[in-house]
């Protein structure tokens, strides 16, 4: 039996989460504070075998209708070993308090082509965070990262180094980021949170063991591309970004990413996560984004999700949530397909 302990101190929690080999910035204390804005209530539980830390689960509770709720570990839990996921899920039943099910998404990054491992008592399920992404191995250094890009991307990245000035900034660059991000989402017909939400990401993710920053590429002082990044436990994650259609020959999106990659290299990070590509490009709303991200090379990885049913209502509730998501997709973009499907 695993011993559960609630953790109430941010630095202690982040040290635990960062110490485990399978982990994510979305299990950090700061992300829990961000998700409060969307109605999720964080519960932070450390799980021990004797005195040894086995897992750390930041569970988000979402109340759906009256007493009905779900629990969700966003890109989590953080784990000592993936094989311990069923044992951890069973131990977390003690936190259920009426939740219909528990959704788990450990960020271990299997090959996108491999079959997802199956575990007794856990059902492979739809993810909430993007299921597929591309990881760049920062241990390759600048030369190795350039060499693994396709020829056009390498050319465009070198052009960007000459044509735009890319800087790493904080809240002082937020308004420029926001203008580009909002305009890009309008063009692409993508849903977004409130402005306050992204400001909170930038503030809350500057935390013990972690950083948040904006990489912004400008041409003669005019912002052309900007991204909001978080860094935690060896990874730099590209969460949100936008770009202008002006001066496309400056290749500002390449410059924005290259600036963040160089920051990761300079600060000793291991992985650069391009964050969110479709399962397959053909017919996807995000096909263009996928082609751009694939140009960097790297490894396409997958984060399967698992549901642990805790109530007979599980089937009915998950079908209702799927229908709701499909309707929101249709209302926004005229199709029931998810952006990254």
């Amino acid at each position: 039996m695993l011993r559960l302990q609630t953790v109430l101190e941010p630095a202690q929690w982040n040290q635990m989460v960062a110490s485990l080999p399978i982990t994510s910035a979305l299990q950090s204390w700061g992300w829990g504070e961000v998700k409060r804005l969307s109605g999720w209530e964080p519960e932070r539980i450390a799980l021990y075998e004797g005195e040894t830390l086995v897992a750390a689960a930041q569970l988000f509770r979402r109340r759906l209708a009256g007493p009905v709720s779900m629990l969700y570990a966003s890109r989590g839990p953080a784990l000592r070993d993936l094989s311990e996921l069923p044992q951890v899920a069973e131990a977390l039943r003690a936190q259920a308090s009426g939740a219909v099910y528990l959704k788990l998404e450990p960020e271990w990054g299997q090959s996108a082509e491999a079959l997802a491992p199956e575990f007794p008592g856990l059902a492979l399920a739809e993810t909430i965070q993007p299921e597929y992404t591309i990881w760049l191995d920062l241990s390759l250094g600048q030369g190795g990262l350039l060499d693994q890009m396709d020829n056009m991307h390498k050319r465009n990245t070198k052009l960007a180094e000459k044509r735009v000035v890319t800087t790493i900034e904080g809240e002082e660059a937020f308004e420029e980021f926001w203008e580009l991000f909002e305009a890009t989402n309008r063009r692409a017909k993508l849903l977004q949170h409130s402005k306050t939400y992204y400001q909170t990401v930038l503030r809350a993710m500057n935390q013990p063991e972690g950083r948040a920053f904006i990489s912004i590429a400008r041409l003669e002082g005019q912002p052309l591309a900007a991204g909001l990044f978080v860094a935690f436990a060896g990874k730099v994650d590209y969460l949100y970004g936008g770009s202008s259609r002006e001066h496309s020959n400056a290749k500002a999106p390449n410059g924005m990413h290259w600036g963040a990659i160089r920051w990761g290299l300079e600060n000793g990070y291991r992985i650069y996560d391009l964050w969110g590509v479709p399962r397959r490009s053909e017919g996807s709303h995000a096909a263009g984004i996928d082609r751009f991200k694939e140009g960097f090379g790297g490894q396409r990885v997958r984060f399967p999700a698992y549901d642990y049913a805790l109530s007979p209502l599980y089937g009915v509730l998950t079908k209702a949530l799927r229908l709701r998501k499909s309707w929101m997709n249709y209302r926004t973009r005229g199709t029931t397909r998810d952006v990254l499907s």
Side-chain angles (χ1 to χ4, degrees):
M1 294 292 291
L2 298 179
R3 174 173 60 87
L4 277 61
Q5 176 184 321
T6 299
V7 180
L8 301 175
E9 203 280 314
Q12 180 190 12
W13 176 257
N14 280 358
Q15 190 281 324
M16 288 177 171
V17 173
S19 73
L20 291 162
I22 299 172
T23 192
S24 169
L26 273 55
Q27 282 290 292
S28 71
W29 187 279
W31 193 251
E33 300 311 295
V34 170
K35 298 313 291 181
R36 288 186 192 274
L37 298 180
S38 302
W40 298 90
E41 303 167 20
E43 304 171 15
R44 299 163 176 115
I45 311 299
L47 296 95
Y48 292 90
E49 186 177 63
E51 297 303 313
T52 302
L53 182 68
V54 171
Q58 178 165 244
L59 302 178
F60 295 103
R61 186 178 297 274
R62 185 67 174 267
R63 304 206 179 269
L64 302 167
V68 177
S69 67
M70 65 167 290
L71 284 171
Y72 167 49
S74 179
R75 287 281 176 91
L79 294 166
R80 178 178 65 177
D81 191 277
L82 187 67
S83 66
E84 294 173 315
L85 186 63
Q87 183 185 10
V88 169
E90 178 62 30
L92 290 172
R93 284 182 68 106
Q95 297 299 123
S97 299
V100 173
Y101 69 104
L102 169 63
K103 182 177 286 290
L104 307 170
E105 295 176 344
E107 191 176 287
W108 71 291
Q110 72 166 80
S111 168
E113 291 75 31
L115 293 175
E118 298 187 27
F119 300 102
L122 301 179
L124 277 167
E126 185 175 352
T127 64
I128 293 179
Q129 293 299 322
E131 185 172 356
Y132 294 86
T133 188
I134 294 171
W135 276 358
L136 306 183
D137 179 1
L138 297 185
S139 71
L140 295 174
Q142 288 191 45
L145 289 165
L146 283 168
D147 287 344
Q148 76 175 5
M149 294 181 188
D150 66 34
N151 289 335
M152 183 64 72
H153 240 58
K154 185 189 297 187
R155 172 182 173 274
N156 289 345
T157 298
K158 289 182 176 180
L159 282 174
E161 283 192 290
K162 297 175 182 177
R163 295 176 179 176
V164 298
V165 176
T166 302
T167 54
I168 303 301
E169 302 184 33
E171 292 187 56
E172 67 276 9
F174 181 82
E175 292 299 331
E176 291 172 301
F177 158 80
W178 176 252
E179 184 175 342
L180 292 166
F181 177 65
E182 194 175 33
T184 301
N185 283 348
R186 280 199 305 270
R187 289 198 306 266
K189 298 181 180 180
L190 297 176
L191 294 171
Q192 66 184 44
H193 297 283
S194 69
K195 184 177 183 180
T196 300
Y197 181 94
Y198 301 97
Q199 290 172 316
T200 303
V201 173
L202 193 53
R203 287 195 298 267
M205 297 301 279
N206 274 314
Q207 58 181 328
E209 309 284 341
R211 288 282 306 277
F213 62 88
I214 289 171
S215 177
I216 185 163
R218 300 182 180 93
L219 176 64
E220 297 178 351
Q222 179 184 353
L224 296 180
L228 199 167
F229 295 79
V230 300
F232 184 82
K235 300 189 190 88
V236 178
D237 299 330
Y238 168 59
L239 294 189
Y240 315 108
S243 61
S244 170
R245 286 181 166 173
E246 295 185 52
H247 305 291
S248 60
N249 62 344
K251 308 304 176 187
N254 292 74
M256 178 269 289
H257 276 287
W258 191 239
I261 287 168
R262 291 175 64 178
W263 181 92
L265 289 167
E266 290 163 6
N267 287 276
Y269 286 84
R270 298 177 291 103
I271 292 170
Y272 187 86
D273 189 337
L274 283 157
W275 204 269
V277 294
R279 179 178 289 108
R280 55 189 180 280
S281 286
E282 296 77 16
S284 169
H285 189 74
I289 295 171
D290 187 26
R291 286 193 296 272
F292 175 76
K293 292 181 178 180
E294 280 192 328
F296 286 97
Q299 179 189 10
R300 201 177 188 94
V301 297
R302 179 186 181 192
F303 311 116
Y306 300 89
D307 284 357
Y308 185 30
L310 302 169
S311 162
L313 294 174
Y314 167 72
V316 174
L317 180 59
T318 51
K319 287 178 183 176
L321 291 173
R322 178 64 258 180
L323 286 171
R324 178 179 180 272
K325 189 173 183 182
S326 295
W327 165 243
M328 291 177 67
N329 289 339
Y330 184 78
R331 189 178 64 181
T332 305
R333 296 186 304 281
T335 175
T336 58
R337 286 185 62 177
D338 294 340
V339 171
L340 296 180
S341 65

